Amino acid sequence: MSVETRTADPAAPPGASGRGGSLLKGRGIGELLMDQRAFVALIVLVIVFSLLSDAFLTPSNLVVMTKHVAYNAILALGMLLVIITGGIDLSVGSVVGLSGIVAGMLLQGWELSLLDTTAYPAVWVVVVIALAVGGLVGALNGLLVTRFHVAPFIATLGTMYIARGAALLISDGTTFPRLQGDEALGNTGFSFLGLGTPLGIPTAIWIMVVAAVLVWLLVARSGFGRHLFATGGNERAAELSGVKVRSVKMRVYVISGLCAAMAGLIIASELTSAAPQTGQSFELNAIAAVVIGGASLAGGRGSVRGALIGAFVIGFLSDGLVLIGVSSFWQTVIKGLVIVLAVILDQSQVRLKRRRAAAAAARSLAADTAEVRA
C-alpha cells in the first residue's frame, strides 16, 4: 500500500517505465536500496536480533511485538497525513493520555452535580466521547494553523501542553484504576479493545490493519489524496488550481487527533487503567516512523506502506533492545541516532535524484543538439 506524488520524483529518466518492467527502472542498485531503506532496515533488525536472541522470532513474541507496533502505527498513519501537507502534530502523545483519562472518568462514573446523580455511560458511548475529544483537539490544531496562521510546530506544541494539562486536571494527577466496568451498570466490555483476541489475533492489530486500509484508500484512491500531495508539494499552486487547502489541513489534523485518541483507548483498555502521563514522547515515535518510511518533513511525499514499515522498525528496535538487555538510556540514544540517520539518508536520496535528473537532461540536450547539427 504505497502512493507518492507524481511530481515527487522529477529525476525519473525518459522511458524508464518502459524497460521491460525492470525492477531497477534505470536506477542503480544503490538508489534502489535507498528507496527501500526502511524495508532493508527492518530485515536487518530481524536478522540481527534473531541471532542475538532465540526468543525474538518465536510466534508469541512476534504477536506481542506487533501489538506494540500497532499503537505507534495508528499514530503514524494520522501523522503521515499531516506531514504530507507539510505540517507536524506534536500533540498526539498528549491526546493519547487525555483520551484514556476521559474514558477512565466516564467508566468510573461521571458525577453530574447539577442533577445530583452519577452517570455510567455504555462502553460504546465512552469510546465515541473519547474519540470526539481527540477530534476536537485536532480541530483546534487545524483552526490555529488555517485560520490564525500559527506555524504547525508552535500550534501543536501549545495544544500538546493544553491536552496534557487537561488530563491532569480531570484526573487530579492520579490514575483511574479498574476500568473493566460493572455489568450491573451496563458498561462492561472496555477491555476488549486492549485484551480481546478475535480469531486469535489481538484487537489492536485488527484496528491497525483496518486503519491502514482506510488511510490507504483515502490517500491512493480518492481526490482528497491528490489534494494532500498537491498541498504539500506547492500550497500556492494547489490553491490556484482549485484545491481547498484550508479544508485539507483541517481534515488531516482532525484525523490525526482521532488516531491518537484510538491509540489512547487501546492502551487504557490493555492496562485496565488510565494515567495522565500516558503517551509521553509518543509523538516522537510517530514522527520517526513516518520519516524512516520515506516521507519528507517538507511535505509532498510519503506512503502508507512506508509509515507502517517505519512503525515496525521503531517497534522491533525497541522490543529487540529490551529483549537483549540494553538499558533504557542506551535505547533512547540508539533511537535518536536512527532518526538522524533516516533524515540524512532522505536528504542523500533527494540529492542523488537531482543529480540523475540533471544528467538525464544534459544527455537529452546533447542528443537534440547533435540531431540539429546533423
Side-chain angles (χ1 to χ4, degrees):
M1 291 186 295
S2 177
V3 60
E4 296 191 4
T5 52
R6 296 297 183 184
T7 59
D9 184 10
S17 60
R19 297 184 179 182
S22 171
L23 179 63
L24 294 180
K25 294 183 180 180
R27 299 173 295 181
I29 295 295
E31 189 173 350
L32 176 64
L33 293 176
M34 188 79 78
D35 285 339
Q36 304 298 323
R37 59 186 178 276
F39 184 71
V40 172
L42 181 60
I43 296 300
V44 170
L45 284 178
V46 170
I47 293 173
V48 170
F49 286 126
S50 298
L51 294 175
L52 294 176
S53 173
D54 294 335
F56 184 80
L57 272 184
T58 59
S60 60
N61 189 57
L62 285 175
V63 171
V64 170
M65 289 194 300
T66 304
K67 185 178 180 181
H68 293 164
V69 166
Y71 315 143
N72 288 328
I74 293 170
L75 287 173
L77 290 170
M79 186 69 72
L80 171 68
L81 301 181
V82 174
I83 287 180
I84 287 176
T85 64
I88 200 79
D89 189 354
L90 300 180
S91 67
V92 293
S94 296
V95 173
V96 167
L98 178 59
S99 64
I101 287 297
V102 169
M105 177 192 69
L106 294 174
L107 286 170
Q108 292 200 336
W110 186 6
E111 294 186 7
L112 303 174
S113 55
L114 293 177
L115 301 176
D116 193 25
T117 186
T118 301
Y120 293 91
V123 168
W124 71 267
V125 176
V126 172
V127 171
V128 169
I129 292 176
L131 289 175
V133 169
L136 285 174
V137 176
L140 177 59
N141 287 330
L143 186 67
L144 291 172
V145 171
T146 60
R147 298 296 178 183
F148 295 96
H149 306 290
V150 180
F153 182 90
I154 301 300
T156 58
L157 179 64
T159 53
M160 177 184 76
Y161 285 112
I162 292 171
R164 186 68 67 187
L168 291 167
L169 287 170
I170 293 171
S171 65
D172 199 21
T174 61
T175 298
F176 287 124
R178 301 182 302 277
L179 299 186
Q180 299 92 333
D182 189 335
E183 187 175 354
L185 298 172
N187 64 349
T188 55
F190 182 67
S191 59
F192 176 77
L193 285 174
L195 300 176
T197 55
L199 302 178
I201 299 175
T203 306
I205 298 178
W206 285 114
I207 294 175
M208 175 185 69
V209 171
V210 171
V213 171
L214 291 176
V215 173
W216 177 73
L217 290 173
L218 185 67
V219 170
R221 293 291 185 269
S222 71
F224 180 73
R226 292 189 294 273
H227 292 172
L228 274 178
F229 289 105
T231 300
N234 189 319
E235 184 174 323
R236 180 57 179 163
E239 285 183 328
L240 293 175
S241 62
V243 175
K244 297 180 179 178
V245 171
R246 286 185 177 182
S247 176
V248 169
K249 289 185 175 181
M250 178 65 77
R251 292 179 189 179
V252 297
Y253 281 106
V254 170
I255 293 172
S256 180
L258 290 172
C259 288
M262 178 54 73
L265 286 172
I266 294 172
I267 294 172
S269 174
E270 180 181 6
L271 300 176
T272 63
S273 65
Q277 299 84 8
T278 302
Q280 288 183 342
S281 80
F282 276 28
E283 63 276 357
L284 301 182
N285 288 339
I287 294 170
V290 174
V291 172
I292 289 172
S296 171
L297 289 174
R301 177 159 53 88
S303 69
V304 172
R305 173 180 173 274
L308 288 177
I309 294 177
F312 272 91
V313 169
I314 293 293
F316 278 22
L317 177 63
S318 299
D319 286 358
L321 292 174
V322 170
L323 201 61
I324 63 176
V326 176
S327 74
S328 59
F329 306 133
W330 275 109
Q331 290 178 39
T332 304
V333 172
I334 292 171
K335 283 197 288 187
L337 290 173
V338 168
I339 295 171
V340 172
L341 178 61
V343 175
I344 292 174
L345 290 175
D346 179 69
Q347 295 302 311
S348 299
Q349 181 184 20
V350 170
R351 288 193 295 269
L352 180 62
K353 287 185 175 182
R354 286 175 178 172
R355 285 197 296 266
R356 191 159 65 89
R363 288 195 298 269
S364 177
L365 179 60
D368 290 343
T369 302
E371 184 179 347
V372 169
R373 289 179 177 177

